[in-house]
mmCIF file of all heavy atoms in Angstrom:
data_model
loop_
_atom_site.group_PDB
_atom_site.id
_atom_site.type_symbol
_atom_site.label_atom_id
_atom_site.label_comp_id
_atom_site.label_asym_id
_atom_site.label_seq_id
_atom_site.Cartn_x
_atom_site.Cartn_y
_atom_site.Cartn_z
ATOM 1 N N ILE A 198 -63.365 9.808 -53.711
ATOM 2 C CA ILE A 198 -64.249 8.669 -53.473
ATOM 3 C C ILE A 198 -65.271 8.988 -52.390
ATOM 4 O O ILE A 198 -66.467 8.607 -52.512
ATOM 5 C CB ILE A 198 -63.439 7.437 -53.087
ATOM 6 C CG1 ILE A 198 -62.479 7.040 -54.215
ATOM 7 C CG2 ILE A 198 -64.343 6.264 -52.753
ATOM 8 C CD1 ILE A 198 -63.184 6.736 -55.532
ATOM 9 N N ALA A 199 -64.871 9.720 -51.353
ATOM 10 C CA ALA A 199 -65.790 10.056 -50.275
ATOM 11 C C ALA A 199 -66.935 10.937 -50.784
ATOM 12 O O ALA A 199 -68.118 10.712 -50.461
ATOM 13 C CB ALA A 199 -65.065 10.734 -49.128
ATOM 14 N N CYS A 200 -66.606 11.966 -51.565
ATOM 15 C CA CYS A 200 -67.653 12.864 -52.081
ATOM 16 C C CYS A 200 -68.538 12.172 -53.097
ATOM 17 O O CYS A 200 -69.717 12.503 -53.233
ATOM 18 C CB CYS A 200 -67.013 14.110 -52.698
ATOM 19 S SG CYS A 200 -66.236 15.216 -51.507
ATOM 20 N N LEU A 201 -67.993 11.207 -53.816
ATOM 21 C CA LEU A 201 -68.788 10.475 -54.787
ATOM 22 C C LEU A 201 -69.878 9.635 -54.148
ATOM 23 O O LEU A 201 -71.029 9.654 -54.605
ATOM 24 C CB LEU A 201 -67.885 9.561 -55.655
ATOM 25 C CG LEU A 201 -67.090 10.202 -56.784
ATOM 26 C CD1 LEU A 201 -66.133 9.189 -57.394
ATOM 27 C CD2 LEU A 201 -68.009 10.767 -57.859
ATOM 28 N N PHE A 202 -69.551 8.933 -53.066
ATOM 29 C CA PHE A 202 -70.447 7.860 -52.625
ATOM 30 C C PHE A 202 -71.045 8.019 -51.228
ATOM 31 O O PHE A 202 -72.085 7.423 -50.949
ATOM 32 C CB PHE A 202 -69.718 6.515 -52.721
ATOM 33 C CG PHE A 202 -69.343 6.165 -54.117
ATOM 34 C CD1 PHE A 202 -68.005 5.988 -54.487
ATOM 35 C CD2 PHE A 202 -70.303 5.999 -55.083
ATOM 36 C CE1 PHE A 202 -67.665 5.670 -55.792
ATOM 37 C CE2 PHE A 202 -69.981 5.666 -56.386
ATOM 38 C CZ PHE A 202 -68.651 5.508 -56.744
ATOM 39 N N ILE A 203 -70.424 8.771 -50.327
ATOM 40 C CA ILE A 203 -70.989 8.897 -48.989
ATOM 41 C C ILE A 203 -72.363 9.579 -49.005
ATOM 42 O O ILE A 203 -73.321 9.089 -48.393
ATOM 43 C CB ILE A 203 -70.018 9.596 -48.027
ATOM 44 C CG1 ILE A 203 -68.822 8.697 -47.733
ATOM 45 C CG2 ILE A 203 -70.721 9.982 -46.728
ATOM 46 C CD1 ILE A 203 -67.779 9.323 -46.800
ATOM 47 N N PRO A 204 -72.534 10.715 -49.695
ATOM 48 C CA PRO A 204 -73.843 11.362 -49.673
ATOM 49 C C PRO A 204 -74.964 10.490 -50.244
ATOM 50 O O PRO A 204 -76.047 10.393 -49.659
ATOM 51 C CB PRO A 204 -73.635 12.623 -50.524
ATOM 52 C CG PRO A 204 -72.179 12.914 -50.424
ATOM 53 C CD PRO A 204 -71.521 11.569 -50.373
ATOM 54 N N THR A 205 -74.714 9.843 -51.369
ATOM 55 C CA THR A 205 -75.764 9.022 -51.975
ATOM 56 C C THR A 205 -76.034 7.766 -51.172
ATOM 57 O O THR A 205 -77.165 7.278 -51.129
ATOM 58 C CB THR A 205 -75.400 8.670 -53.431
ATOM 59 O OG1 THR A 205 -76.538 8.106 -54.082
ATOM 60 C CG2 THR A 205 -74.250 7.696 -53.492
ATOM 61 N N ALA A 206 -75.030 7.248 -50.457
ATOM 62 C CA ALA A 206 -75.249 6.102 -49.603
ATOM 63 C C ALA A 206 -76.154 6.452 -48.420
ATOM 64 O O ALA A 206 -77.065 5.693 -48.064
ATOM 65 C CB ALA A 206 -73.917 5.549 -49.090
ATOM 66 N N VAL A 207 -75.932 7.623 -47.826
ATOM 67 C CA VAL A 207 -76.771 8.071 -46.724
ATOM 68 C C VAL A 207 -78.180 8.369 -47.208
ATOM 69 O O VAL A 207 -79.177 8.012 -46.566
ATOM 70 C CB VAL A 207 -76.163 9.306 -46.034
ATOM 71 C CG1 VAL A 207 -77.088 9.877 -44.994
ATOM 72 C CG2 VAL A 207 -74.809 8.964 -45.423
ATOM 73 N N ALA A 208 -78.268 9.028 -48.369
ATOM 74 C CA ALA A 208 -79.590 9.396 -48.897
ATOM 75 C C ALA A 208 -80.433 8.171 -49.228
ATOM 76 O O ALA A 208 -81.649 8.162 -49.004
ATOM 77 C CB ALA A 208 -79.418 10.241 -50.152
ATOM 78 N N SER A 209 -79.807 7.120 -49.708
ATOM 79 C CA SER A 209 -80.540 5.912 -50.076
ATOM 80 C C SER A 209 -81.171 5.220 -48.868
ATOM 81 O O SER A 209 -82.154 4.506 -48.990
ATOM 82 C CB SER A 209 -79.631 4.928 -50.799
ATOM 83 O OG SER A 209 -78.598 4.469 -49.956
ATOM 84 N N ARG A 210 -80.606 5.469 -47.692
ATOM 85 C CA ARG A 210 -81.116 4.815 -46.478
ATOM 86 C C ARG A 210 -82.027 5.706 -45.647
ATOM 87 O O ARG A 210 -82.896 5.212 -44.939
ATOM 88 C CB ARG A 210 -79.931 4.366 -45.600
ATOM 89 C CG ARG A 210 -79.082 3.269 -46.207
ATOM 90 C CD ARG A 210 -78.006 2.795 -45.225
ATOM 91 N NE ARG A 210 -78.604 2.252 -44.015
ATOM 92 C CZ ARG A 210 -78.990 0.997 -43.876
ATOM 93 N NH1 ARG A 210 -78.841 0.144 -44.896
ATOM 94 N NH2 ARG A 210 -79.502 0.563 -42.746
#
Side-chain angles (χ1 to χ4, degrees):
I198 299 301
C200 291
L201 281 173
F202 297 118
I203 290 179
T205 192
V207 174
S209 65
R210 294 185 61 87

